[in-house]
Amino acid sequence: SSVTLTCSSDANPAANYTWYKENGNPDLQRLSEGQQLVFSSVQSSDSGQYSCTAENKLGRMTSNNFSVNVMYGPKRPSVSVSASAEIENQTLPHGQQDIYHFTSISSEDRGNYYCKSENQHGHINSTSLFIDVQYGPKRPSVSVSPSAEIVEGSSVNLTCSSDANPAANYTWYKENEDSPKASGQIFTITDVRPEHSGDYSCEAQNRRGRQSSTLHLTVVAGTL
């Protein structure tokens, strides 16, 4: 809005006026000369203590300080996270009321967050902040396709999937064998033999942990 400050003093001859603003004690910022100080579009930075001096050739007097308090709606809020960019499962500390706490963060807390700031003069939303909650793999689910009887000589896919962030890497093992059989979500056996029967385990792993699940594969001998 527009604001005008007016200074007047009884003087003869007529006084000359000078305006000052406190700029950190004891400094005063000289603003302008004239009986009126006009703010055509007042800003929040114009808040402060103002004074004027009236002066003629016979003397000089300074007014008491006059306080200008410019009210304004919220500026755009900033949001930040108190942990590092990679958030593990942990309990965060309590603090001020304008801080939102995750008392026990979980994978469901992953997402975009923003805050809304408001007073009687307006409201505004902050920019959004993405919270990337990292966690180790959940127990994988394993399946066989086709799910019917697996006939000798046919092809079969073993599939493994797990909820994890970052995404899991998958490794397949067969019972009583130390070396991995394959890596990747899908383990394909193209020419199934009876010796392929047995228990297969899939291990899902990322830098936050590992989990495994097992399935049993039964191969039926082909008919002549």
PDB file of all heavy atoms in Angstrom, residues 193-217:
ATOM      1  N   ARG A 193      15.222 -81.572 -17.185  1.00  0.00           N
ATOM      2  CA  ARG A 193      15.547 -82.992 -16.958  1.00  0.00           C
ATOM      3  C   ARG A 193      15.161 -83.380 -15.536  1.00  0.00           C
ATOM      4  O   ARG A 193      15.018 -82.520 -14.666  1.00  0.00           O
ATOM      5  CB  ARG A 193      17.049 -83.233 -17.174  1.00  0.00           C
ATOM      6  CG  ARG A 193      17.539 -82.914 -18.588  1.00  0.00           C
ATOM      7  CD  ARG A 193      16.861 -83.791 -19.609  1.00  0.00           C
ATOM      8  NE  ARG A 193      17.230 -83.423 -20.977  1.00  0.00           N
ATOM      9  CZ  ARG A 193      16.634 -83.890 -22.042  1.00  0.00           C
ATOM     10  NH1 ARG A 193      15.585 -84.708 -21.902  1.00  0.00           N
ATOM     11  NH2 ARG A 193      17.027 -83.521 -23.240  1.00  0.00           N
ATOM     12  N   PRO A 194      15.004 -84.678 -15.273  1.00  0.00           N
ATOM     13  CA  PRO A 194      14.643 -85.108 -13.916  1.00  0.00           C
ATOM     14  C   PRO A 194      15.606 -84.599 -12.854  1.00  0.00           C
ATOM     15  O   PRO A 194      15.205 -84.308 -11.725  1.00  0.00           O
ATOM     16  CB  PRO A 194      14.662 -86.633 -14.017  1.00  0.00           C
ATOM     17  CG  PRO A 194      14.339 -86.909 -15.446  1.00  0.00           C
ATOM     18  CD  PRO A 194      14.995 -85.810 -16.224  1.00  0.00           C
ATOM     19  N   GLU A 195      16.887 -84.469 -13.229  1.00  0.00           N
ATOM     20  CA  GLU A 195      17.862 -83.991 -12.243  1.00  0.00           C
ATOM     21  C   GLU A 195      17.662 -82.531 -11.865  1.00  0.00           C
ATOM     22  O   GLU A 195      18.276 -82.031 -10.917  1.00  0.00           O
ATOM     23  CB  GLU A 195      19.299 -84.189 -12.752  1.00  0.00           C
ATOM     24  CG  GLU A 195      19.604 -83.536 -14.076  1.00  0.00           C
ATOM     25  CD  GLU A 195      19.404 -84.475 -15.277  1.00  0.00           C
ATOM     26  OE1 GLU A 195      18.600 -85.421 -15.152  1.00  0.00           O
ATOM     27  OE2 GLU A 195      20.054 -84.229 -16.308  1.00  0.00           O
ATOM     28  N   HIS A 196      16.795 -81.839 -12.616  1.00  0.00           N
ATOM     29  CA  HIS A 196      16.472 -80.463 -12.246  1.00  0.00           C
ATOM     30  C   HIS A 196      15.473 -80.382 -11.081  1.00  0.00           C
ATOM     31  O   HIS A 196      15.226 -79.302 -10.554  1.00  0.00           O
ATOM     32  CB  HIS A 196      15.899 -79.694 -13.447  1.00  0.00           C
ATOM     33  CG  HIS A 196      16.932 -79.376 -14.497  1.00  0.00           C
ATOM     34  ND1 HIS A 196      16.765 -79.696 -15.837  1.00  0.00           N
ATOM     35  CD2 HIS A 196      18.161 -78.808 -14.408  1.00  0.00           C
ATOM     36  CE1 HIS A 196      17.818 -79.302 -16.530  1.00  0.00           C
ATOM     37  NE2 HIS A 196      18.687 -78.759 -15.669  1.00  0.00           N
ATOM     38  N   SER A 197      14.886 -81.511 -10.717  1.00  0.00           N
ATOM     39  CA  SER A 197      13.961 -81.512  -9.578  1.00  0.00           C
ATOM     40  C   SER A 197      14.695 -81.104  -8.308  1.00  0.00           C
ATOM     41  O   SER A 197      15.895 -81.354  -8.153  1.00  0.00           O
ATOM     42  CB  SER A 197      13.345 -82.898  -9.405  1.00  0.00           C
ATOM     43  OG  SER A 197      12.538 -83.244 -10.504  1.00  0.00           O
ATOM     44  N   GLY A 198      13.967 -80.471  -7.401  1.00  0.00           N
ATOM     45  CA  GLY A 198      14.569 -80.104  -6.125  1.00  0.00           C
ATOM     46  C   GLY A 198      14.106 -78.732  -5.652  1.00  0.00           C
ATOM     47  O   GLY A 198      13.210 -78.113  -6.237  1.00  0.00           O
ATOM     48  N   ASP A 199      14.723 -78.264  -4.583  1.00  0.00           N
ATOM     49  CA  ASP A 199      14.388 -76.967  -3.992  1.00  0.00           C
ATOM     50  C   ASP A 199      15.301 -75.882  -4.557  1.00  0.00           C
ATOM     51  O   ASP A 199      16.524 -76.040  -4.592  1.00  0.00           O
ATOM     52  CB  ASP A 199      14.535 -77.015  -2.468  1.00  0.00           C
ATOM     53  CG  ASP A 199      13.452 -77.851  -1.815  1.00  0.00           C
ATOM     54  OD1 ASP A 199      12.337 -77.873  -2.356  1.00  0.00           O
ATOM     55  OD2 ASP A 199      13.728 -78.473  -0.776  1.00  0.00           O
ATOM     56  N   TYR A 200      14.682 -74.794  -4.961  1.00  0.00           N
ATOM     57  CA  TYR A 200      15.409 -73.631  -5.469  1.00  0.00           C
ATOM     58  C   TYR A 200      15.098 -72.435  -4.564  1.00  0.00           C
ATOM     59  O   TYR A 200      13.944 -72.212  -4.185  1.00  0.00           O
ATOM     60  CB  TYR A 200      15.002 -73.302  -6.903  1.00  0.00           C
ATOM     61  CG  TYR A 200      15.475 -74.320  -7.915  1.00  0.00           C
ATOM     62  CD1 TYR A 200      14.761 -75.497  -8.108  1.00  0.00           C
ATOM     63  CD2 TYR A 200      16.628 -74.115  -8.667  1.00  0.00           C
ATOM     64  CE1 TYR A 200      15.187 -76.451  -9.029  1.00  0.00           C
ATOM     65  CE2 TYR A 200      17.057 -75.057  -9.589  1.00  0.00           C
ATOM     66  CZ  TYR A 200      16.338 -76.216  -9.772  1.00  0.00           C
ATOM     67  OH  TYR A 200      16.765 -77.160 -10.687  1.00  0.00           O
ATOM     68  N   SER A 201      16.132 -71.697  -4.227  1.00  0.00           N
ATOM     69  CA  SER A 201      15.929 -70.490  -3.406  1.00  0.00           C
ATOM     70  C   SER A 201      16.347 -69.258  -4.202  1.00  0.00           C
ATOM     71  O   SER A 201      17.298 -69.295  -4.986  1.00  0.00           O
ATOM     72  CB  SER A 201      16.721 -70.567  -2.096  1.00  0.00           C
ATOM     73  OG  SER A 201      18.112 -70.594  -2.352  1.00  0.00           O
ATOM     74  N   CYS A 202      15.589 -68.202  -3.985  1.00  0.00           N
ATOM     75  CA  CYS A 202      15.894 -66.904  -4.601  1.00  0.00           C
ATOM     76  C   CYS A 202      16.278 -65.934  -3.494  1.00  0.00           C
ATOM     77  O   CYS A 202      15.553 -65.800  -2.503  1.00  0.00           O
ATOM     78  CB  CYS A 202      14.672 -66.387  -5.374  1.00  0.00           C
ATOM     79  SG  CYS A 202      14.791 -64.641  -5.821  1.00  0.00           S
ATOM     80  N   GLU A 203      17.405 -65.281  -3.651  1.00  0.00           N
ATOM     81  CA  GLU A 203      17.851 -64.277  -2.690  1.00  0.00           C
ATOM     82  C   GLU A 203      17.729 -62.891  -3.313  1.00  0.00           C
ATOM     83  O   GLU A 203      18.263 -62.628  -4.392  1.00  0.00           O
ATOM     84  CB  GLU A 203      19.293 -64.525  -2.270  1.00  0.00           C
ATOM     85  CG  GLU A 203      19.797 -63.514  -1.233  1.00  0.00           C
ATOM     86  CD  GLU A 203      21.242 -63.746  -0.862  1.00  0.00           C
ATOM     87  OE1 GLU A 203      22.124 -63.253  -1.593  1.00  0.00           O
ATOM     88  OE2 GLU A 203      21.480 -64.435   0.151  1.00  0.00           O
ATOM     89  N   ALA A 204      16.983 -62.005  -2.636  1.00  0.00           N
ATOM     90  CA  ALA A 204      16.870 -60.603  -3.046  1.00  0.00           C
ATOM     91  C   ALA A 204      17.785 -59.787  -2.139  1.00  0.00           C
ATOM     92  O   ALA A 204      17.729 -59.906  -0.910  1.00  0.00           O
ATOM     93  CB  ALA A 204      15.435 -60.120  -2.925  1.00  0.00           C
ATOM     94  N   GLN A 205      18.612 -58.939  -2.745  1.00  0.00           N
ATOM     95  CA  GLN A 205      19.612 -58.214  -1.962  1.00  0.00           C
ATOM     96  C   GLN A 205      19.783 -56.791  -2.497  1.00  0.00           C
ATOM     97  O   GLN A 205      19.793 -56.552  -3.700  1.00  0.00           O
ATOM     98  CB  GLN A 205      20.951 -58.953  -2.021  1.00  0.00           C
ATOM     99  CG  GLN A 205      22.071 -58.256  -1.259  1.00  0.00           C
ATOM    100  CD  GLN A 205      23.386 -59.012  -1.347  1.00  0.00           C
ATOM    101  OE1 GLN A 205      23.475 -60.028  -2.030  1.00  0.00           O
ATOM    102  NE2 GLN A 205      24.408 -58.518  -0.673  1.00  0.00           N
ATOM    103  N   ASN A 206      19.866 -55.824  -1.560  1.00  0.00           N
ATOM    104  CA  ASN A 206      20.372 -54.485  -1.877  1.00  0.00           C
ATOM    105  C   ASN A 206      21.300 -54.072  -0.746  1.00  0.00           C
ATOM    106  O   ASN A 206      21.589 -54.879   0.152  1.00  0.00           O
ATOM    107  CB  ASN A 206      19.229 -53.473  -2.122  1.00  0.00           C
ATOM    108  CG  ASN A 206      18.388 -53.223  -0.879  1.00  0.00           C
ATOM    109  OD1 ASN A 206      18.758 -53.594   0.240  1.00  0.00           O
ATOM    110  ND2 ASN A 206      17.252 -52.567  -1.063  1.00  0.00           N
ATOM    111  N   ARG A 207      21.767 -52.819  -0.763  1.00  0.00           N
ATOM    112  CA  ARG A 207      22.741 -52.426   0.252  1.00  0.00           C
ATOM    113  C   ARG A 207      22.134 -52.272   1.638  1.00  0.00           C
ATOM    114  O   ARG A 207      22.849 -52.038   2.606  1.00  0.00           O
ATOM    115  CB  ARG A 207      23.452 -51.142  -0.169  1.00  0.00           C
ATOM    116  CG  ARG A 207      22.582 -49.909  -0.311  1.00  0.00           C
ATOM    117  CD  ARG A 207      23.463 -48.693  -0.626  1.00  0.00           C
ATOM    118  NE  ARG A 207      22.711 -47.483  -0.844  1.00  0.00           N
ATOM    119  CZ  ARG A 207      22.367 -47.027  -2.027  1.00  0.00           C
ATOM    120  NH1 ARG A 207      22.683 -47.725  -3.110  1.00  0.00           N
ATOM    121  NH2 ARG A 207      21.700 -45.891  -2.164  1.00  0.00           N
ATOM    122  N   ARG A 208      20.802 -52.401   1.757  1.00  0.00           N
ATOM    123  CA  ARG A 208      20.137 -52.293   3.050  1.00  0.00           C
ATOM    124  C   ARG A 208      19.845 -53.653   3.678  1.00  0.00           C
ATOM    125  O   ARG A 208      19.421 -53.711   4.834  1.00  0.00           O
ATOM    126  CB  ARG A 208      18.828 -51.512   2.900  1.00  0.00           C
ATOM    127  CG  ARG A 208      18.990 -50.103   2.333  1.00  0.00           C
ATOM    128  CD  ARG A 208      19.856 -49.256   3.224  1.00  0.00           C
ATOM    129  NE  ARG A 208      20.095 -47.933   2.648  1.00  0.00           N
ATOM    130  CZ  ARG A 208      21.034 -47.112   3.053  1.00  0.00           C
ATOM    131  NH1 ARG A 208      21.835 -47.468   4.041  1.00  0.00           N
ATOM    132  NH2 ARG A 208      21.197 -45.936   2.485  1.00  0.00           N
ATOM    133  N   GLY A 209      20.031 -54.746   2.926  1.00  0.00           N
ATOM    134  CA  GLY A 209      19.760 -56.057   3.510  1.00  0.00           C
ATOM    135  C   GLY A 209      19.498 -57.107   2.456  1.00  0.00           C
ATOM    136  O   GLY A 209      19.646 -56.885   1.242  1.00  0.00           O
ATOM    137  N   ARG A 210      19.077 -58.280   2.917  1.00  0.00           N
ATOM    138  CA  ARG A 210      18.780 -59.378   2.016  1.00  0.00           C
ATOM    139  C   ARG A 210      17.706 -60.271   2.618  1.00  0.00           C
ATOM    140  O   ARG A 210      17.565 -60.371   3.833  1.00  0.00           O
ATOM    141  CB  ARG A 210      20.041 -60.192   1.706  1.00  0.00           C
ATOM    142  CG  ARG A 210      20.646 -60.909   2.911  1.00  0.00           C
ATOM    143  CD  ARG A 210      21.903 -61.673   2.519  1.00  0.00           C
ATOM    144  NE  ARG A 210      22.979 -60.767   2.122  1.00  0.00           N
ATOM    145  CZ  ARG A 210      24.045 -61.159   1.436  1.00  0.00           C
ATOM    146  NH1 ARG A 210      24.163 -62.422   1.051  1.00  0.00           N
ATOM    147  NH2 ARG A 210      24.994 -60.288   1.150  1.00  0.00           N
ATOM    148  N   GLN A 211      16.925 -60.923   1.737  1.00  0.00           N
ATOM    149  CA  GLN A 211      15.898 -61.883   2.148  1.00  0.00           C
ATOM    150  C   GLN A 211      15.837 -62.962   1.077  1.00  0.00           C
ATOM    151  O   GLN A 211      16.153 -62.722  -0.098  1.00  0.00           O
ATOM    152  CB  GLN A 211      14.524 -61.217   2.270  1.00  0.00           C
ATOM    153  CG  GLN A 211      14.340 -60.323   3.475  1.00  0.00           C
ATOM    154  CD  GLN A 211      14.023 -61.080   4.749  1.00  0.00           C
ATOM    155  OE1 GLN A 211      13.921 -62.309   4.736  1.00  0.00           O
ATOM    156  NE2 GLN A 211      13.870 -60.371   5.849  1.00  0.00           N
ATOM    157  N   SER A 212      15.404 -64.163   1.455  1.00  0.00           N
ATOM    158  CA  SER A 212      15.308 -65.251   0.478  1.00  0.00           C
ATOM    159  C   SER A 212      14.027 -66.052   0.694  1.00  0.00           C
ATOM    160  O   SER A 212      13.449 -66.063   1.791  1.00  0.00           O
ATOM    161  CB  SER A 212      16.523 -66.180   0.571  1.00  0.00           C
ATOM    162  OG  SER A 212      16.595 -66.790   1.851  1.00  0.00           O
ATOM    163  N   SER A 213      13.592 -66.700  -0.365  1.00  0.00           N
ATOM    164  CA  SER A 213      12.438 -67.611  -0.346  1.00  0.00           C
ATOM    165  C   SER A 213      12.769 -68.833  -1.193  1.00  0.00           C
ATOM    166  O   SER A 213      13.627 -68.785  -2.086  1.00  0.00           O
ATOM    167  CB  SER A 213      11.180 -66.929  -0.890  1.00  0.00           C
ATOM    168  OG  SER A 213      10.764 -65.880  -0.045  1.00  0.00           O
ATOM    169  N   THR A 214      12.057 -69.934  -0.899  1.00  0.00           N
ATOM    170  CA  THR A 214      12.345 -71.218  -1.554  1.00  0.00           C
ATOM    171  C   THR A 214      11.092 -71.765  -2.222  1.00  0.00           C
ATOM    172  O   THR A 214       9.973 -71.587  -1.724  1.00  0.00           O
ATOM    173  CB  THR A 214      12.880 -72.238  -0.527  1.00  0.00           C
ATOM    174  OG1 THR A 214      14.064 -71.707   0.084  1.00  0.00           O
ATOM    175  CG2 THR A 214      13.213 -73.569  -1.183  1.00  0.00           C
ATOM    176  N   LEU A 215      11.297 -72.457  -3.377  1.00  0.00           N
ATOM    177  CA  LEU A 215      10.201 -73.196  -4.013  1.00  0.00           C
ATOM    178  C   LEU A 215      10.716 -74.576  -4.412  1.00  0.00           C
ATOM    179  O   LEU A 215      11.921 -74.792  -4.567  1.00  0.00           O
ATOM    180  CB  LEU A 215       9.644 -72.445  -5.223  1.00  0.00           C
ATOM    181  CG  LEU A 215      10.542 -72.152  -6.430  1.00  0.00           C
ATOM    182  CD1 LEU A 215      10.713 -73.363  -7.337  1.00  0.00           C
ATOM    183  CD2 LEU A 215       9.941 -71.016  -7.241  1.00  0.00           C
ATOM    184  N   HIS A 216       9.769 -75.522  -4.577  1.00  0.00           N
ATOM    185  CA  HIS A 216      10.134 -76.885  -4.953  1.00  0.00           C
ATOM    186  C   HIS A 216       9.721 -77.132  -6.396  1.00  0.00           C
ATOM    187  O   HIS A 216       8.611 -76.814  -6.803  1.00  0.00           O
ATOM    188  CB  HIS A 216       9.463 -77.913  -4.040  1.00  0.00           C
ATOM    189  CG  HIS A 216       9.885 -79.316  -4.340  1.00  0.00           C
ATOM    190  ND1 HIS A 216      11.098 -79.829  -3.962  1.00  0.00           N
ATOM    191  CD2 HIS A 216       9.222 -80.321  -5.006  1.00  0.00           C
ATOM    192  CE1 HIS A 216      11.192 -81.086  -4.371  1.00  0.00           C
ATOM    193  NE2 HIS A 216      10.057 -81.406  -5.004  1.00  0.00           N
ATOM    194  N   LEU A 217      10.634 -77.700  -7.175  1.00  0.00           N
ATOM    195  CA  LEU A 217      10.395 -78.003  -8.589  1.00  0.00           C
ATOM    196  C   LEU A 217      10.386 -79.515  -8.778  1.00  0.00           C
ATOM    197  O   LEU A 217      11.317 -80.188  -8.357  1.00  0.00           O
ATOM    198  CB  LEU A 217      11.503 -77.373  -9.438  1.00  0.00           C
ATOM    199  CG  LEU A 217      11.327 -77.419 -10.943  1.00  0.00           C
ATOM    200  CD1 LEU A 217      10.144 -76.559 -11.372  1.00  0.00           C
ATOM    201  CD2 LEU A 217      12.600 -76.933 -11.652  1.00  0.00           C
TER     202      LEU A 217
END
